[in-house]
Amino acid sequence: MAIAILFSVPASAQSVQAEAPWLTVYDEAGRLKWELRMEALARVGDGWEGQRVQVQLYHDGAPTVVLRAPRIRADRYGREWALSTDDLATEPIVGEGEGFSFTCREARWQGGLVLGGLTAEGRGVALSATEARWQLGEAVHLVDAEVTFAGWQLAFETGRYELGGDQLVADDVTATGHGVTLGGTALMAWPHEGRIEVREAHLVRAP
């Protein structure tokens, strides 16, 4: 038998509805923020734990990103949650959205979506990053990343990918491709166009 419980959080005007095995969170405007669906949902301590979970994220009420994972833990109001793999890490966290499919080692909501150990493909781009932070509807911030497209492989410590404008911006970049390796203090790239601009570029390796 399903049990429905409604919580309200005055500080943020956010509300949460839990009806095992679902957990639905709405923003202050009453729009869907995310939906958590799982095979099992249990109350533990000051929060929730679930197994075999799917998280559907929304931006301005529209579905944007979906994640699937073996396990989830959320606080009692659903304001923060963390996805994890199984104990043997045989089943990764997977997801898709904004034209990309991806896997990651960990995923959590902490004021925004945080993905650790990310690898992603889509829009003619392949990328990997130690960490990616994403406020839905805004740029994805990448840490220790490599991005490959149109014969170029770009490596940088920090950068941001503007998904809406298809623009990648980074500092202290190394760009390898088409027989050369370039170093530079800054990068602007448009993956869909296959175009890059490297500021203060110098040749590291030539054919």
Side-chain angles (χ1 to χ4, degrees):
M1 180 175 67
I3 301 175
I5 307 171
L6 183 65
F7 300 100
S8 64
V9 188
S12 64
Q14 176 176 284
S15 65
V16 180
Q17 182 173 335
E19 185 173 353
W22 302 283
L23 185 68
T24 306
V25 177
Y26 301 86
D27 65 17
E28 60 277 4
R31 299 169 300 197
L32 277 171
K33 191 172 182 180
W34 57 69
E35 290 179 318
L36 310 179
R37 294 176 178 261
M38 56 210 85
E39 290 184 1
L41 173 65
R43 178 74 180 271
V44 291
D46 60 351
W48 301 87
E49 283 189 357
Q51 297 180 351
R52 308 291 300 176
V53 63
Q54 174 176 296
V55 181
Q56 175 69 68
L57 302 178
Y58 293 80
H59 176 63
D60 290 337
T64 304
V65 178
V66 63
L67 299 139
R68 300 178 185 87
R71 291 192 176 93
I72 188 171
R73 177 155 189 154
D75 68 39
R76 64 179 300 187
Y77 296 117
R79 289 170 296 193
E80 294 185 355
W81 45 259
L83 302 179
S84 58
T85 61
D86 57 26
D87 293 335
L88 299 177
T90 56
E91 186 176 355
I93 299 168
V94 299
E96 59 261 356
E98 296 288 358
F100 283 90
S101 59
F102 58 88
T103 64
C104 57
R105 186 181 62 255
E106 59 180 354
R108 65 185 187 276
W109 186 273
Q110 201 169 31
L113 183 61
V114 182
L115 305 173
L118 172 69
T119 60
E121 291 187 3
R123 300 187 179 193
V125 173
L127 69 84
S128 63
T130 300
E131 183 178 90
R133 290 182 172 267
W134 188 6
Q135 290 282 355
L136 300 186
E138 301 179 12
V140 181
H141 292 263
L142 303 169
V143 177
D144 293 329
E146 289 189 358
V147 179
T148 302
F149 65 89
W152 288 104
Q153 183 179 58
L154 313 173
F156 50 88
E157 290 187 5
T158 59
R160 68 180 189 275
Y161 190 178
E162 302 277 358
L163 296 174
D166 189 50
Q167 186 181 67
L168 177 66
V169 179
D171 295 323
D172 298 321
V173 66
T174 299
T176 301
H178 305 281
V180 299
T181 297
L182 303 173
T185 59
L187 165 84
M188 291 186 68
W190 295 264
H192 182 71
E193 299 178 20
R195 182 163 60 96
I196 70 170
E197 294 180 5
V198 180
R199 184 177 299 171
E200 298 182 24
H202 58 275
L203 189 63
V204 176
R205 180 176 60 83

